[in-house]
Amino acid sequence: MTDFKELVKLRRSHRQFDGNEIDADDLKTIIRAGLMSPTSKGQRGWHFIVVDDKEDINKLADAKDMGSQFLKGAPLAIVVLGDAMRNDCWVEDGSIAAISMQYQAEELGLGTCWIQMRGRGLGDGMDADSIIRGILGIPDNYSVLCVLAVGRKADERKPQNEDKLKWENVHINKF
Ligand SMILES: Cc1cc2nc3c(=O)[nH]c(=O)nc-3n(C[C@H](O)[C@H](O)[C@H](O)COP(=O)(O)O)c2cc1C
């Protein structure tokens, strides 16, 4: 098991995956991390859709213009949703759940990448949110935050470079 100090250094975004499926126990452990993540007012109002259907994964990859085509090579997508009407912190809650799942996946040796969907879409004006709600049968009151691509890493990423950390962005007492 990697300690957290090492895990935060090792975690990088992975966009290439080998063809293998994700182990069912690993998937459960990843989702568990999302379900354990903190939420505003303890609402736990997020929903996660695990998609392993190849056709639907391909459709999700086509829901926006840029930065999502690599999803077509992933065995699994986790779609993170929130209820924007009932929860003014749905973006924060969903983001914390998503990164929690990403760190858990990293700890299991799996690769992930966040694919932004909120506020994104196609050049013709169709927004990714409506497209994805159509693909996955999501009720109107839920909004799509992001899709996590999850798979077995097939690209090599260097760990974070300690020498390049932006310590200058950290302020003590005043800006
Ligand atoms: C809010 C957010 C949105 C992102 N959207 C995308 C995306 O749409 N497509 C993509 O390939 N990567 C996306 N990423 C991944 C970033 O590009 C990546 O985290 C960043 O380049 C730093 O690299 P690292 O994760 O390897 O440290 C996103 C990350 C965050 C946090």
Side-chain angles (χ1 to χ4, degrees):
M1 183 171 165
T2 319
D3 68 29
F4 195 73
K5 189 179 175 192
E6 186 64 11
L7 195 65
V8 292
K9 184 170 176 170
L10 291 177
R11 186 221 54 80
R12 302 303 311 273
S13 296
H14 291 270
R15 299 181 179 86
Q16 288 171 40
F17 308 99
D18 72 15
N20 291 309
E21 304 295 307
I22 301 296
D23 183 81
D25 286 341
D26 284 353
L27 174 58
K28 193 172 177 188
T29 304
I30 292 168
I31 297 297
R32 171 183 175 273
L35 294 172
M36 281 195 178
S37 64
T39 54
S40 167
K41 300 176 188 164
Q43 288 186 65
R44 302 192 170 184
W46 17 237
H47 285 251
F48 311 123
I49 307 180
V50 177
V51 183
D52 63 2
D53 180 87
K54 194 77 206 139
E55 270 183 38
D56 280 346
I57 287 177
N58 289 344
K59 287 182 197 164
L60 292 174
D62 289 333
K64 68 170 186 169
D65 284 329
M66 280 164 46
S68 52
Q69 283 300 306
F70 69 89
L71 180 62
K72 293 182 178 175
L76 199 77
I78 301 174
V79 183
V80 179
L81 314 172
D83 186 339
M85 291 300 172
R86 284 203 213 147
N87 180 4
D88 62 346
C89 288
W90 75 275
V91 173
E92 291 85 349
D93 289 353
S95 300
I96 293 166
I99 192 64
S100 300
M101 291 191 278
Q102 289 188 276
Y103 278 120
Q104 179 59 76
E106 182 67 46
E107 198 263 338
L108 293 166
L110 299 169
T112 66
C113 187
W114 177 308
I115 301 172
Q116 179 71 14
M117 291 300 181
R118 186 181 66 86
R120 303 286 191 267
L122 299 173
D124 62 10
M126 270 295 264
D127 58 293
D129 184 73
S130 315
I131 296 169
I132 295 173
R133 276 193 280 116
I135 299 166
L136 301 177
I138 299 166
D140 282 348
N141 53 311
Y142 289 102
S143 300
V144 180
L145 176 66
C146 65
V147 176
L148 297 180
V150 185
R152 297 185 181 277
K153 301 170 189 173
D155 52 353
E156 287 221 6
R157 297 291 320 273
K158 288 199 177 104
Q160 310 262 355
N161 185 342
E162 297 272 1
D163 296 332
K164 291 198 172 161
L165 296 183
K166 295 211 150 204
W167 288 105
E168 69 274 20
N169 290 2
V170 181
H171 311 273
I172 309 293
N173 290 329
K174 288 196 169 53
F175 189 92

